[in-house]
Amino acid sequence: MARYADGLREAGNALALRPELWLTCERQARQILGECIDTLHGTEVQVAEEAELASMALGVQRSFEKVPPIDSVQAARVLFDVAVGTLTEAAARLPADIALARSLTAVRMLHDAIFTRVSAAAIGYESATLRDVGQASTASRHRIARDLHDHIGSSISLALRCLDLYAMERASGATPPRDRLADAQQALRDVFGFTRSMVSGLRVNELHDGLKEEIDAYSAASSDRPAEVRSRIDGDESWLPERTRQELFLVVREALRNAFTHARADRIDVAVRIHPDAVHATVTDDGVGLPDRRDGEGTGLAAMRQRVTALGGTLELISEPGRGTRVRLRIPLDGTGAGGR
């Protein structure tokens, strides 16, 4: 707790500078650390529904107390860094044959504990803010949910994936093809940067390089071998309005994340064809496919479909058990969609 408080004070975070706010912050941090330590010592732990409700109420309270949301996100980041160090120290006192597996499980518990509470608090913040300004529209809630999932959720998932790969490569003694810890750190920095931009009302420029470079960089950071990822971009990328370009990348990235997480594929192909009137994209894997009967769509697929639909496009999911999965989309560029500059 002392390290945590010092980290917040060094950052000038209001949650450590105002005693009444620190009390609630400390209480929640102790709960999270307790869950992680229990996990480290072999106890199965799940984040209780009561913790989500309490975090949602805390988000409403902090909104009323004029605590900027970025302070809560920053506090979560500081707690994550401090807790990883604490868990590493605790794991060093465990028997060597179980230390690595237990520490990895504890870090995953840390992610779940923090992300669940931050997500619930964000809902509390949002509900209080939207009530104040009278903008509680369904479209606004869906947009915020998509942004939270695709930017924050995907980056945190990438960070966890990098930690998983780091643990596996370390345990096997293999020479890693990339600096997995650096990739995890960069993914967490992306979470912080996006949240700062969202809170300050700035437009997020997701892409710094071309589509192929961004897709290849994400694939290299989040995939492991023997999965082979091949990407191809045909056409002039300058034909894409910036919003369409950013949304297209988010949809392709989510399709890749699903393939890495669920498909157990040997090969994944990404193909983007850019024409003057439309852009077409497919993400195809040779994995296990999806069951014949699916009850609705998960958050990721629903967000993908909503992003494409908002641009006037269409998205199709084709899959059979044992025969892989293909995500296929088309977005118009002839002015009929919503993707203009």
Side-chain angles (χ1 to χ4, degrees), residues 97-112:
D97 59 332
I98 64 172
L100 180 60
R102 289 277 185 85
S103 61
L104 179 59
T105 302
V107 169
R108 294 186 70 86
M109 182 67 225
L110 176 64
H111 160 259
D112 290 343

PDB file of all heavy atoms in Angstrom, residues 97-112:
ATOM      1  N   ASP A  97       9.101 -25.496  -8.718  1.00  0.00           N
ATOM      2  CA  ASP A  97       8.344 -26.212  -9.730  1.00  0.00           C
ATOM      3  C   ASP A  97       6.943 -25.658  -9.950  1.00  0.00           C
ATOM      4  O   ASP A  97       6.283 -25.988 -10.947  1.00  0.00           O
ATOM      5  CB  ASP A  97       8.259 -27.704  -9.380  1.00  0.00           C
ATOM      6  CG  ASP A  97       7.601 -27.928  -8.020  1.00  0.00           C
ATOM      7  OD1 ASP A  97       7.705 -27.030  -7.168  1.00  0.00           O
ATOM      8  OD2 ASP A  97       6.998 -28.997  -7.814  1.00  0.00           O
ATOM      9  N   ILE A  98       6.448 -24.826  -9.043  1.00  0.00           N
ATOM     10  CA  ILE A  98       5.104 -24.266  -9.213  1.00  0.00           C
ATOM     11  C   ILE A  98       5.113 -22.744  -9.305  1.00  0.00           C
ATOM     12  O   ILE A  98       4.087 -22.131  -9.581  1.00  0.00           O
ATOM     13  CB  ILE A  98       4.163 -24.686  -8.061  1.00  0.00           C
ATOM     14  CG1 ILE A  98       4.657 -24.107  -6.725  1.00  0.00           C
ATOM     15  CG2 ILE A  98       4.024 -26.184  -8.004  1.00  0.00           C
ATOM     16  CD1 ILE A  98       3.675 -24.309  -5.593  1.00  0.00           C
ATOM     17  N   ALA A  99       6.270 -22.127  -9.071  1.00  0.00           N
ATOM     18  CA  ALA A  99       6.330 -20.661  -8.976  1.00  0.00           C
ATOM     19  C   ALA A  99       5.876 -19.981 -10.263  1.00  0.00           C
ATOM     20  O   ALA A  99       5.080 -19.033 -10.232  1.00  0.00           O
ATOM     21  CB  ALA A  99       7.741 -20.218  -8.606  1.00  0.00           C
ATOM     22  N   LEU A 100       6.377 -20.455 -11.422  1.00  0.00           N
ATOM     23  CA  LEU A 100       6.063 -19.780 -12.680  1.00  0.00           C
ATOM     24  C   LEU A 100       4.580 -19.893 -13.014  1.00  0.00           C
ATOM     25  O   LEU A 100       3.919 -18.903 -13.350  1.00  0.00           O
ATOM     26  CB  LEU A 100       6.904 -20.361 -13.813  1.00  0.00           C
ATOM     27  CG  LEU A 100       6.672 -19.727 -15.195  1.00  0.00           C
ATOM     28  CD1 LEU A 100       6.997 -18.249 -15.165  1.00  0.00           C
ATOM     29  CD2 LEU A 100       7.510 -20.446 -16.257  1.00  0.00           C
ATOM     30  N   ALA A 101       4.031 -21.108 -12.900  1.00  0.00           N
ATOM     31  CA  ALA A 101       2.613 -21.304 -13.233  1.00  0.00           C
ATOM     32  C   ALA A 101       1.723 -20.514 -12.285  1.00  0.00           C
ATOM     33  O   ALA A 101       0.758 -19.873 -12.714  1.00  0.00           O
ATOM     34  CB  ALA A 101       2.258 -22.793 -13.164  1.00  0.00           C
ATOM     35  N   ARG A 102       2.043 -20.528 -11.009  1.00  0.00           N
ATOM     36  CA  ARG A 102       1.235 -19.796 -10.043  1.00  0.00           C
ATOM     37  C   ARG A 102       1.315 -18.288 -10.282  1.00  0.00           C
ATOM     38  O   ARG A 102       0.306 -17.569 -10.182  1.00  0.00           O
ATOM     39  CB  ARG A 102       1.709 -20.120  -8.622  1.00  0.00           C
ATOM     40  CG  ARG A 102       1.362 -21.537  -8.164  1.00  0.00           C
ATOM     41  CD  ARG A 102      -0.058 -21.636  -7.636  1.00  0.00           C
ATOM     42  NE  ARG A 102      -0.342 -22.960  -7.099  1.00  0.00           N
ATOM     43  CZ  ARG A 102      -0.051 -23.335  -5.852  1.00  0.00           C
ATOM     44  NH1 ARG A 102       0.521 -22.474  -5.016  1.00  0.00           N
ATOM     45  NH2 ARG A 102      -0.331 -24.548  -5.448  1.00  0.00           N
ATOM     46  N   SER A 103       2.520 -17.780 -10.573  1.00  0.00           N
ATOM     47  CA  SER A 103       2.662 -16.337 -10.779  1.00  0.00           C
ATOM     48  C   SER A 103       1.911 -15.882 -12.021  1.00  0.00           C
ATOM     49  O   SER A 103       1.297 -14.809 -12.030  1.00  0.00           O
ATOM     50  CB  SER A 103       4.144 -15.951 -10.884  1.00  0.00           C
ATOM     51  OG  SER A 103       4.762 -16.604 -11.977  1.00  0.00           O
ATOM     52  N   LEU A 104       1.922 -16.714 -13.082  1.00  0.00           N
ATOM     53  CA  LEU A 104       1.178 -16.362 -14.292  1.00  0.00           C
ATOM     54  C   LEU A 104      -0.321 -16.336 -14.002  1.00  0.00           C
ATOM     55  O   LEU A 104      -1.032 -15.417 -14.426  1.00  0.00           O
ATOM     56  CB  LEU A 104       1.483 -17.367 -15.398  1.00  0.00           C
ATOM     57  CG  LEU A 104       0.757 -17.143 -16.727  1.00  0.00           C
ATOM     58  CD1 LEU A 104       1.080 -15.775 -17.296  1.00  0.00           C
ATOM     59  CD2 LEU A 104       1.120 -18.239 -17.720  1.00  0.00           C
ATOM     60  N   THR A 105      -0.812 -17.328 -13.256  1.00  0.00           N
ATOM     61  CA  THR A 105      -2.227 -17.348 -12.884  1.00  0.00           C
ATOM     62  C   THR A 105      -2.589 -16.136 -12.042  1.00  0.00           C
ATOM     63  O   THR A 105      -3.657 -15.536 -12.206  1.00  0.00           O
ATOM     64  CB  THR A 105      -2.550 -18.640 -12.098  1.00  0.00           C
ATOM     65  OG1 THR A 105      -2.201 -19.768 -12.911  1.00  0.00           O
ATOM     66  CG2 THR A 105      -4.033 -18.710 -11.755  1.00  0.00           C
ATOM     67  N   ALA A 106      -1.680 -15.753 -11.138  1.00  0.00           N
ATOM     68  CA  ALA A 106      -1.948 -14.592 -10.286  1.00  0.00           C
ATOM     69  C   ALA A 106      -1.983 -13.299 -11.091  1.00  0.00           C
ATOM     70  O   ALA A 106      -2.796 -12.412 -10.825  1.00  0.00           O
ATOM     71  CB  ALA A 106      -0.898 -14.501  -9.182  1.00  0.00           C
ATOM     72  N   VAL A 107      -1.111 -13.187 -12.104  1.00  0.00           N
ATOM     73  CA  VAL A 107      -1.117 -11.985 -12.950  1.00  0.00           C
ATOM     74  C   VAL A 107      -2.406 -11.915 -13.758  1.00  0.00           C
ATOM     75  O   VAL A 107      -2.987 -10.837 -13.943  1.00  0.00           O
ATOM     76  CB  VAL A 107       0.118 -11.965 -13.871  1.00  0.00           C
ATOM     77  CG1 VAL A 107      -0.012 -10.876 -14.928  1.00  0.00           C
ATOM     78  CG2 VAL A 107       1.377 -11.728 -13.054  1.00  0.00           C
ATOM     79  N   ARG A 108      -2.880 -13.062 -14.238  1.00  0.00           N
ATOM     80  CA  ARG A 108      -4.154 -13.075 -14.961  1.00  0.00           C
ATOM     81  C   ARG A 108      -5.296 -12.687 -14.023  1.00  0.00           C
ATOM     82  O   ARG A 108      -6.226 -11.984 -14.423  1.00  0.00           O
ATOM     83  CB  ARG A 108      -4.411 -14.454 -15.561  1.00  0.00           C
ATOM     84  CG  ARG A 108      -3.427 -14.838 -16.660  1.00  0.00           C
ATOM     85  CD  ARG A 108      -3.821 -16.143 -17.326  1.00  0.00           C
ATOM     86  NE  ARG A 108      -5.022 -15.958 -18.120  1.00  0.00           N
ATOM     87  CZ  ARG A 108      -5.029 -15.536 -19.382  1.00  0.00           C
ATOM     88  NH1 ARG A 108      -3.901 -15.246 -19.984  1.00  0.00           N
ATOM     89  NH2 ARG A 108      -6.163 -15.399 -20.037  1.00  0.00           N
ATOM     90  N   MET A 109      -5.226 -13.134 -12.778  1.00  0.00           N
ATOM     91  CA  MET A 109      -6.233 -12.729 -11.801  1.00  0.00           C
ATOM     92  C   MET A 109      -6.170 -11.228 -11.556  1.00  0.00           C
ATOM     93  O   MET A 109      -7.201 -10.560 -11.434  1.00  0.00           O
ATOM     94  CB  MET A 109      -5.982 -13.491 -10.479  1.00  0.00           C
ATOM     95  CG  MET A 109      -7.004 -13.179  -9.389  1.00  0.00           C
ATOM     96  SD  MET A 109      -8.652 -13.806  -9.820  1.00  0.00           S
ATOM     97  CE  MET A 109      -9.668 -12.408  -9.380  1.00  0.00           C
ATOM     98  N   LEU A 110      -4.943 -10.699 -11.523  1.00  0.00           N
ATOM     99  CA  LEU A 110      -4.768  -9.256 -11.352  1.00  0.00           C
ATOM    100  C   LEU A 110      -5.438  -8.501 -12.489  1.00  0.00           C
ATOM    101  O   LEU A 110      -6.143  -7.500 -12.266  1.00  0.00           O
ATOM    102  CB  LEU A 110      -3.277  -8.921 -11.287  1.00  0.00           C
ATOM    103  CG  LEU A 110      -2.901  -7.442 -11.203  1.00  0.00           C
ATOM    104  CD1 LEU A 110      -3.409  -6.820  -9.907  1.00  0.00           C
ATOM    105  CD2 LEU A 110      -1.381  -7.279 -11.313  1.00  0.00           C
ATOM    106  N   HIS A 111      -5.222  -8.977 -13.720  1.00  0.00           N
ATOM    107  CA  HIS A 111      -5.870  -8.343 -14.872  1.00  0.00           C
ATOM    108  C   HIS A 111      -7.383  -8.385 -14.735  1.00  0.00           C
ATOM    109  O   HIS A 111      -8.063  -7.374 -14.915  1.00  0.00           O
ATOM    110  CB  HIS A 111      -5.447  -9.048 -16.153  1.00  0.00           C
ATOM    111  CG  HIS A 111      -6.379  -8.799 -17.299  1.00  0.00           C
ATOM    112  ND1 HIS A 111      -7.327  -9.727 -17.676  1.00  0.00           N
ATOM    113  CD2 HIS A 111      -6.548  -7.737 -18.116  1.00  0.00           C
ATOM    114  CE1 HIS A 111      -8.032  -9.244 -18.686  1.00  0.00           C
ATOM    115  NE2 HIS A 111      -7.585  -8.047 -18.974  1.00  0.00           N
ATOM    116  N   ASP A 112      -7.925  -9.568 -14.426  1.00  0.00           N
ATOM    117  CA  ASP A 112      -9.382  -9.699 -14.317  1.00  0.00           C
ATOM    118  C   ASP A 112      -9.930  -8.804 -13.213  1.00  0.00           C
ATOM    119  O   ASP A 112     -10.970  -8.150 -13.392  1.00  0.00           O
ATOM    120  CB  ASP A 112      -9.758 -11.160 -14.025  1.00  0.00           C
ATOM    121  CG  ASP A 112      -9.506 -12.066 -15.221  1.00  0.00           C
ATOM    122  OD1 ASP A 112      -9.362 -11.533 -16.342  1.00  0.00           O
ATOM    123  OD2 ASP A 112      -9.441 -13.291 -15.034  1.00  0.00           O
TER     124      ASP A 112
END
